[in-house]
């Protein structure tokens, strides 16, 4: 009533009972492809990597140019803002130069020559 699909084996001579039995001979295994790639595949891969590097450089340069342009615009905005602030300031012209000699240090610091 109880059928065994594999034959009953005894204890191995080596005493290593945990080792599995040999299923297939090593000569029956398929040969592995060589590790060397063909010349055509290497040339193709080289072209692909070169194209990838060029594209990456192009993207990087574009981003760098964009950042530089943004920085330049920021400088221009700052300069324009300062000019606008100077134009909107209320100034008082000093006609009597003797007043400058009587001014305190704090007042002299606030004087601007335009």
């Amino acid at each position: 009533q109880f059928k065994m699909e594999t034959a009953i084996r005894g204890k191995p001579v080596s005493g290593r009972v945990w080792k599995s039995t040999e299923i297939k001979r090593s000569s029956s295994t398929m040969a592995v492809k060589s590790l060397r790639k063909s010349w055509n595949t290497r040339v193709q891969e080289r072209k692909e990597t070169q194209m990838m590097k060029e594209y990456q450089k192009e993207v990087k340069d574009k981003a760098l140019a964009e950042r530089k342009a943004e920085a330049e615009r920021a400088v221009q905005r700052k300069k324009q803002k300062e000019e606008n602030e100077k134009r909107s300031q209320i100034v008082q012209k000093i006609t009597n130069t003797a007043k400058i000699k009587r001014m305190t240090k704090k007042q002299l610091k606030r004087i601007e020559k335009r």
Side-chain angles (χ1 to χ4, degrees):
Q1 289 138 18
F2 185 76
K3 273 190 174 177
M4 301 256 328
E5 291 179 13
T6 57
I8 299 170
R9 292 192 51 225
K11 189 177 176 186
V13 177
S14 64
R16 296 182 171 129
V17 291
W18 62 87
K19 291 225 169 186
S20 59
T21 58
E22 185 183 324
I23 298 165
K24 286 185 179 178
R25 295 221 175 261
S26 60
S27 60
S28 67
T29 58
M30 297 273 289
V32 180
K33 266 199 317 189
S34 67
L35 296 174
R36 269 182 84 97
K37 294 177 184 173
S38 69
W39 176 252
N40 292 334
T41 56
R42 282 189 284 172
V43 168
Q44 183 68 26
E45 285 178 0
R46 204 173 289 143
K47 278 183 184 177
E48 287 174 4
T49 53
Q50 188 69 27
M51 285 173 55
M52 183 68 77
K53 283 181 182 178
E54 286 176 10
Y55 179 71
Q56 284 177 343
K57 188 179 179 194
E58 188 180 306
V59 169
K60 197 182 247 186
D61 290 344
K62 188 177 179 182
L64 183 68
E66 204 171 294
R67 281 198 302 269
K68 281 186 177 180
E70 182 61 39
E72 184 65 32
R73 283 194 298 271
V75 167
Q76 291 295 329
R77 278 197 306 268
K78 191 174 182 181
K79 190 176 177 183
Q80 187 67 38
K81 190 175 182 180
E82 286 175 0
E83 285 177 13
N84 290 343
E85 283 178 1
K86 276 192 174 183
R87 260 191 256 131
S88 67
Q89 286 177 350
I90 300 167
V91 293
Q92 187 176 3
K93 192 174 180 183
I94 301 171
T95 52
N96 187 5
T97 53
K99 277 187 180 179
I100 297 172
K101 292 178 183 176
R102 293 193 303 256
M103 286 184 180
T104 61
K105 282 186 182 179
K106 204 173 198 181
Q107 289 171 330
L108 286 169
K109 282 180 187 177
R110 298 178 103 194
I111 292 176
E112 273 186 37
K113 189 174 184 183
R114 292 192 183 182

